């Protein structure tokens, strides 16, 4: 067999509980240290994001001039990436609820994505973060359409998964929106058709607003620059989709990331839960700017261990989590973007074919 | 001079705001979806953000050694208030916002458009010592909507009695100043104010009230000093100082002991419906010890009450009692179970931290009640 399915490190139960205790202490330390520096960080990112968005929109309003098109598209792309990753994803996780600020709160935030926030919070915060990499429970593992582990059943349509994965990348946010509605749940009977229709109506409303903004209102306002403005918006949305897809797929699918069975996690303790989160995630190495643009999901391991700690703290705790893993002999999957990306694609290609006997 | 409005911090004429700026912002909303134009305006000045109403402290006035009046210019989102109401005030301390309620001491139609609150520093308190001693002009505070029924009835009452103690004078001051502002044409009610404080120096608003007493025939003002008399204001005092108390509609605000005594006294006279009471503390707080037992938990919207021990998550307590609780991962991860605290104290089961701010959103799956608690569910 060519696949690499890492095996669980043999840790004694007491060792796993020690690990859990150490991580609980780390969490308490960071929670106690949160303060005005962190608050200033997130407010700066918000101001930067909104400033970039305004700059990008203004430049695209006169984008009949090529330099304005370039500058506008670059600013809008960056704004949209920050909005989805460092802001939306992390605020919706409740990472900033401790600010007590109704303007930056998981219950009030909406993001610039096609799909409504509630559906995403359910499928992401609840299903994915609770059941990380548990085959049959974590729908995010392959997003119900891809096969990424030899332990998943092979169907002939998986032969096409390299193709549909590649073609889907530019439309990633559409894919996520449809996926969050759990159409597969309607087929298996887990979700009632009525709930599905209700979610579909909510998605249609939100999608109409978001699409009208980028592809009707702003181009119309741009007058003679309408077409370049529309193309600039399309480019920004597409580039954002390619980027988010890259970061997200590199978080759980590179080689070395483990999967789990439902039996394994049946009576999971807190320590075992931590261990699974570490083994089910992969980090991406890069510069501070890269980390911000990835929404600090480049610290996927730290994010999965502490999903509700503020993202600006992940870089600080990463060396300590890594050191802890080394001491306990737990693999810590990390690598530069190119390597993780290639490894993720190799996995998609490899599992398109059935297991060799 | 054209009328000015609180709408843009008093800087723009109301008509310009109403006929031009507000419609323009509404028209721009589809361009900022899913945010609103306010979210962008707020970056220029928090007071421009009507979605998250804020105000700026413009001046401070020391009332006593430990009480300070804050003059606040409200921003675009401020929707006004009625005399006697309170508002939630958010103050930023070490990065995070902390919310407390304060009574408005300003009349609704103050000419300069400013709001005032008077804050007494509670020793060991988190927010009040900051507001009373450390806040500086220029500071931005968040303002929640004005609320409360401790207000003047629509039909004027010919005779009124007001009984207050300590900082409990604040909402009554809002009522009095509103009456003071009313022109003589509409005829003033006859008002008796009995106020209790440790001594003259600790009595807030005393200069203003003493001057008003001398100037106005319709106001009687009596200061009761607990230090000199060695005792607190009691029902016997109301009888003595205001023999016609039965004929007066009464407003009372102060410590629980005083209010309990008043409620009992008025209850015995069968006059409860002529009594208005404002309490600064909703329930007595249980001790904060980590070993503390739980307590009765009320779910205010469902009208259900149950008892819990100090370790049972509120989520489970609610489900046991048959309340439709929002829930998610049940591990404190997904924030699917958030619910606002109405009153009481809760303990975070992971960290042991105690919280008691009304309105705070709780992760019910990892918090337990410490003493009597209510959730807005
Ligand atoms: C409707 C309403 C109107 C109010 N209006 C005013 C007002 O006009 N002026 C004003 O100064 N306060 C007012 N308060 C009280 C105010 O909301 C705060 O409770 C108070 O300022 C203490 O806040 P803190 O953060 O300093 O104390 P916390 O940090 O919340 O508490 C610290 C300690 O002080 C105790 N404590 C809390 N509140 C009080 C209190 N009110 N009296 C005595 N001990 C207390 C707590 O039990 C705790 O042990 C009002 C409260 C309500 C409910």
């Amino acid at each position: 067999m060519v696949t690499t399915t890492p095996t669980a490190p043999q840790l004694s139960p007491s060792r796993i509980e020690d690990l859990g205790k150490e991580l609980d202490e780390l969490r308490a330390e960071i929670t106690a240290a949160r303060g005005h520096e962190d608050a200033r960080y997130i407010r700066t990112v918000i101001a930067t994001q909104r400033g970039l968005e305004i700059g990008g929109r203004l430049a695209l309003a006169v984008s009949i001039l090529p330099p304005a098109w370039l500058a506008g598209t670059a600013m809008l792309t960056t704004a949209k990436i920050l909005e989805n990753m460092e802001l939306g994803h992390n605020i919706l996780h409740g990472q900033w609820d401790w600010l007590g600020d109704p303007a930056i709160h998981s219950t009030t935030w909406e993001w610039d994505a096609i799909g409504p926030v509630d559906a995403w919070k359910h499928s992401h915060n609840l299903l994915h973060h609770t059941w990380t990499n548990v085959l049959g429970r974590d729908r995010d593992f392959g997003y119900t359409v891809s096969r990424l582990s030899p332990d998943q059943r092979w169907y002939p349509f998986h032969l096409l998964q390299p193709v549909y994965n590649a073609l889907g990348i530019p439309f990633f946010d559409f894919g996520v929106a449809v996926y969050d509605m759990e159409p597969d749940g309607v087929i298996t009977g887990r979700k009632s058709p009525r709930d599905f229709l209700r979610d579909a109506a909510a998605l249609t409303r939100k999608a109409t607003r978001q699409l009208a903004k980028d592809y009707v209102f702003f181009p119309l306002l741009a007058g003679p620059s309408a077409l370049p403005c529309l193309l600039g918006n399309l480019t920004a949305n597409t580039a954002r989709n390619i980027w988010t897809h890259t970061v997200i797929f590199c978080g759980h699918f590179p080689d070395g990331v483990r999967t789990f069975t439902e039996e394994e996690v049946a009576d999971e303790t807190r320590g075992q839960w931590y261990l699974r989160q570490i083994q089910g995630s992969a980090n991406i190495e890069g510069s501070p700017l890269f980390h911000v643009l990835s929404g600090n999901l480049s610290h996927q391991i730290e994010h999965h261990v502490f999903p509700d700690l503020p993202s600006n703290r992940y870089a600080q705790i990463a060396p300590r989590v890594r050191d802890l893993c080394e001491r306990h002999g737990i693999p810590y999957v990390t690598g530069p973007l190119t390597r993780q990306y290639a490894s993720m694609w190799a996995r998609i290609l490899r599992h398109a074919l059935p297991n060799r006997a | 001079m054209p009328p000015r409005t609180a709408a843009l911090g008093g800087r723009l004429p109301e008509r310009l705001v109403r006929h031009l700026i507000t419609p323009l912002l509404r028209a721009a909303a589809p361009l900022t979806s899913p945010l609103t134009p306010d979210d962008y305006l707020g970056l220029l000045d928090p007071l421009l953000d009507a979605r998250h109403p804020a105000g700026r402290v413009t001046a401070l006035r020391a009332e006593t050694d430990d009480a300070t009046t804050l003059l606040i210019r409200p921003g675009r989102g401020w929707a006004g208030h009625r005399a006697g109401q309170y508002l939630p005030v958010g103050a930023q301390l070490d990065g995070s916002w902390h919310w407390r309620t304060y009574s408005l001491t300003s009349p609704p139609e103050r000419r300069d458009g400013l709001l005032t609150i008077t804050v007494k520093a509670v020793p060991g308190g988190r927010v009040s010592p900051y507001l009373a001693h450390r806040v500086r002009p220029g500071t931005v505070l968040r303002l929640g909507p004005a609320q409360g029924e401790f207000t003047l009835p629509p039909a004027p009452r010919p005779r009124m009695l007001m009984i207050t103690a300590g900082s409990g004078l604040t909402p009554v001051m809002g009522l009095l100043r509103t009456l003071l502002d009313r022109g003589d044409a509409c005829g003033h009610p006859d008002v008796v104010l009995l106020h209790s404080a440790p001594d003259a120096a600790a009595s807030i608003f005393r200069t203003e009230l003493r001057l008003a007493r001398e100037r106005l025939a319709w106001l009687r003002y009596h200061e009761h000093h607990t230090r000199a008399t060695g005792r607190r204001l009691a029902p016997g005092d109301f009888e003595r100082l205001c023999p016609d108390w039965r004929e007066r509609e009464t407003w009372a605000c102060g410590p629980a002991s005083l209010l309990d005594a008043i409620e009992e006294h008025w209850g015995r006279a069968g006059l409860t419906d002529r009594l208005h009471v404002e309490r600064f503390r909703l329930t007595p707080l249980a001790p904060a010890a980590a070993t503390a037992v739980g307590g009765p938990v009320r779910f205010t919207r469902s009208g259900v009450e149950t008892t819990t021990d100090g370790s049972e998550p509120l989520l489970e307590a609610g489900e046991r009692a048959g309340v439709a609780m929002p829930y998610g991962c049940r591990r404190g991860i997904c924030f699917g179970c958030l619910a606002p605290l109405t009153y009481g104290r809760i303990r975070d089961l992971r960290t042991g931290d105690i919280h008691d701010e009304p309105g705070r959103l709780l992760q019910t799956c990892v918090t337990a009640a410490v003493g009597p608690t209510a959730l807005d569910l």
Side-chain angles (χ1 to χ4, degrees):
Chain A
M1 209 161 83
V2 281
T3 66
T4 48
T5 304
T7 47
Q10 292 306 308
L11 291 184
S12 67
S14 70
R15 197 116 192 232
I16 296 178
E17 291 327 294
D18 287 348
L19 170 85
K21 238 177 272 148
E22 282 184 70
L23 287 169
D24 277 342
E25 279 161 23
L26 182 53
R27 180 197 156 82
E29 185 189 320
I30 301 294
T31 313
R34 290 181 309 207
H36 67 272
E37 287 293 331
D38 305 81
R40 197 167 62 197
Y41 171 80
I42 195 66
R43 296 199 171 106
T44 307
V45 177
I46 289 175
T48 309
Q49 188 275 325
R50 290 181 191 167
L52 280 170
E53 170 135 16
I54 292 173
R57 300 285 185 192
L58 288 177
L60 285 171
V62 292
S63 52
I64 204 152
L65 311 166
W69 189 89
L70 272 179
T73 306
M75 281 192 275
L76 190 60
T77 305
T78 315
K80 280 180 175 271
I81 284 174
L82 284 176
E83 200 273 346
N84 269 202
M85 305 298 269
E86 186 67 337
L87 296 180
H89 171 268
N90 294 335
I91 291 168
L92 289 171
H93 255 293
Q95 290 183 6
W96 299 97
D97 286 3
W98 61 276
L99 289 177
D101 187 342
I104 313 178
H105 202 278
S106 62
T107 53
T108 59
W109 194 264
E110 250 298 354
W111 60 359
D112 181 17
I114 293 291
V117 131
D118 290 338
W120 180 82
K121 278 203 284 200
H122 177 78
S123 80
H124 180 85
N125 288 6
L126 173 59
L127 299 179
H128 168 58
H129 273 272
T130 309
W131 295 103
T132 312
N133 285 26
V134 178
L135 297 180
R137 291 310 288 261
D138 181 9
R139 293 170 68 246
D140 280 24
F141 196 80
Y143 295 95
T144 68
V145 291
S146 299
R147 179 175 179 265
L148 298 163
S149 154
D151 300 329
Q152 283 171 305
R153 191 155 164 208
W154 182 86
Y155 293 98
F157 74 84
H158 286 133
L159 285 171
L160 289 175
Q161 73 180 23
V163 181
Y164 58 70
N165 266 290
L167 290 180
I169 292 173
F171 311 101
F172 188 57
D173 67 334
F174 277 94
V176 170
V178 172
Y179 163 83
D180 286 343
M181 290 198 310
E182 298 189 55
D184 50 315
V186 181
I187 298 167
T188 59
R190 194 160 30 85
K191 181 166 187 158
S192 73
R194 202 199 162 104
D195 286 352
F196 181 78
L197 286 179
R198 188 202 53 211
D199 290 357
L203 168 58
T204 311
R205 276 194 301 276
K206 172 95 191 278
T208 309
R209 279 206 310 273
Q210 297 316 107
L211 294 173
K213 175 180 74 168
D214 281 342
Y215 301 124
V216 180
F217 299 144
F218 274 113
L220 279 181
L221 282 176
S225 297
L227 190 62
C229 173
L230 187 146
L231 289 177
N233 293 349
L234 183 65
T235 309
N237 279 329
T238 309
R240 190 264 325 268
N241 282 351
I242 294 172
W243 179 250
T244 50
H245 169 273
T246 303
V247 171
I248 290 163
F249 271 56
C250 287
H252 294 291
F253 308 147
D255 266 335
V257 174
R258 269 202 66 199
T259 57
F260 305 82
T261 62
E262 280 191 64
E263 296 75 60
E264 268 179 283
V265 302
D267 290 305
E268 208 173 40
T269 62
R270 184 145 183 87
Q272 288 167 330
W273 183 83
Y274 275 133
L275 183 59
R276 173 161 61 88
Q277 298 302 331
I278 296 172
Q279 296 181 284
S281 311
N283 281 6
I284 317 169
E285 290 157 8
S287 66
L289 180 64
F290 167 78
H291 290 312
V292 173
L293 291 176
S294 79
N296 277 297
L297 288 179
S298 45
H299 300 111
Q300 189 76 235
I301 296 175
E302 287 70 28
H303 171 58
H304 261 267
V305 172
F306 305 121
D308 59 347
L309 285 188
S311 56
N312 61 320
R313 293 280 182 165
Y314 289 152
Q316 171 196 357
I317 56 183
R320 295 175 58 183
V321 174
R322 189 171 186 166
D323 169 67
L324 198 123
C325 288
E326 263 158 34
R327 272 190 285 119
H328 290 285
I330 305 163
Y332 184 93
V333 182
T334 182
L337 181 63
T338 43
R339 194 168 84 211
Q340 302 299 73
Y341 195 70
S343 162
M344 176 271 288
W345 267 108
R347 200 156 169 171
I348 293 178
L349 290 170
R350 197 188 307 132
H351 297 298
L353 299 174
N355 298 345
R356 270 184 266 168
Chain B
M1 211 172 78
R4 282 168 187 270
T5 167
L8 272 173
R11 269 165 289 177
L12 288 177
E14 188 176 3
R15 286 184 36 207
L16 184 69
V17 173
R18 184 143 34 91
H19 296 299
L20 190 66
I21 297 183
T22 308
L24 264 180
L25 289 179
R26 204 168 299 140
L31 298 177
T32 53
S33 165
L35 297 176
T36 67
D38 286 280
D39 294 303
Y40 290 87
L41 284 175
L43 296 176
L44 301 175
D45 181 347
L47 267 60
L48 295 177
D49 181 352
R51 223 182 137 193
H52 307 103
R56 183 171 280 118
V57 177
T58 58
L60 301 162
R61 202 165 55 212
E63 298 288 349
T64 65
D65 281 352
D66 58 3
T68 306
T69 292
L70 285 73
L71 288 87
I72 302 166
R73 175 163 305 288
R76 266 189 70 224
W78 177 248
H81 76 281
R82 286 182 288 144
Q85 287 192 307
Y86 55 85
L87 84 166
V89 174
Q92 208 182 354
L93 298 171
D94 194 22
S96 59
W97 291 92
H98 297 263
W99 295 83
R100 297 289 186 275
T101 36
Y102 292 99
S103 301
L104 285 149
T105 50
S106 49
E109 306 286 331
R110 228 181 113 115
R111 268 178 296 279
D112 56 11
L114 298 184
L115 308 175
T116 60
I117 57 171
T118 300
V119 180
K120 180 169 182 289
V122 171
R126 179 106 213 227
V127 176
S128 61
Y130 166 75
L131 291 177
H133 297 310
R134 301 202 301 278
V135 78
R136 290 287 154 256
T139 304
V140 170
L141 302 172
R142 287 275 178 76
L143 308 178
Q147 49 203 284
E149 297 305 322
F150 192 75
T151 52
L152 293 171
R157 298 292 190 260
R159 283 190 282 177
M160 301 164 74
L161 168 61
M162 299 172 173
I163 308 172
T164 60
S167 56
L169 179 52
T170 50
V172 163
M173 207 57 197
L175 300 176
L176 271 181
R177 284 178 174 153
T178 304
L179 294 175
L180 286 166
D181 275 5
R182 282 193 188 156
D184 280 328
C186 48
H188 280 287
D190 181 78
V191 178
V192 176
L193 167 58
L194 309 180
H195 176 61
S196 169
D199 52 34
S203 192
I204 52 175
F205 309 129
R206 65 181 180 282
T207 315
E208 181 179 347
L209 286 169
R210 287 175 186 187
L211 277 175
R213 172 174 62 187
E214 266 152 45
R215 205 161 45 85
L216 304 167
W218 53 267
L219 175 67
R220 260 198 296 148
Y221 166 52
H222 176 84
E223 264 173 45
H224 173 88
H225 295 151
T226 51
R227 229 163 253 154
T229 59
R231 53 174 198 83
R232 296 189 179 170
L233 209 52
D237 298 305
F238 323 145
E239 301 269 4
R240 186 169 50 81
L241 295 164
C242 183
D244 63 347
W245 64 275
R246 283 187 182 79
E247 276 88 67
R248 292 176 179 264
E249 184 135 346
T250 301
W251 280 259
C253 181
S257 55
L258 173 69
L259 298 179
D260 292 345
I262 291 176
E263 278 182 342
E264 204 197 306
H265 201 65
W266 262 248
R268 254 188 278 122
L271 292 170
T272 308
D273 56 338
R274 308 203 55 193
L275 176 65
H276 308 258
V277 167
E278 182 80 316
R279 287 178 185 269
F280 284 2
R281 305 282 298 274
L282 294 170
T283 45
L285 295 181
T291 52
V293 289
V297 177
R298 262 168 50 74
F299 298 89
T300 48
R301 281 195 225 181
S302 330
V304 173
E305 179 159 336
T306 183
T307 45
T308 63
D309 63 35
S311 62
E312 183 183 38
L314 289 167
L315 173 60
E316 284 167 26
E319 289 176 333
R320 194 166 43 73
V323 181
M325 303 286 291
Y327 67 91
C329 65
R330 296 172 184 276
R331 286 159 186 255
I333 302 161
C334 80
F335 291 80
C337 61
L338 291 182
L341 179 68
T342 310
Y343 63 76
R345 295 197 142 189
I346 59 90
R347 186 155 52 92
D348 187 316
L349 291 168
R350 297 168 299 181
T351 59
D353 290 350
I354 303 276
H355 299 287
D356 63 3
E357 309 97 287
R360 187 187 176 94
L361 290 164
L362 308 176
Q363 288 177 278
T364 58
C365 70
V366 288
T367 48
V370 184
T373 298
L375 295 184
D376 187 18
L377 274 176

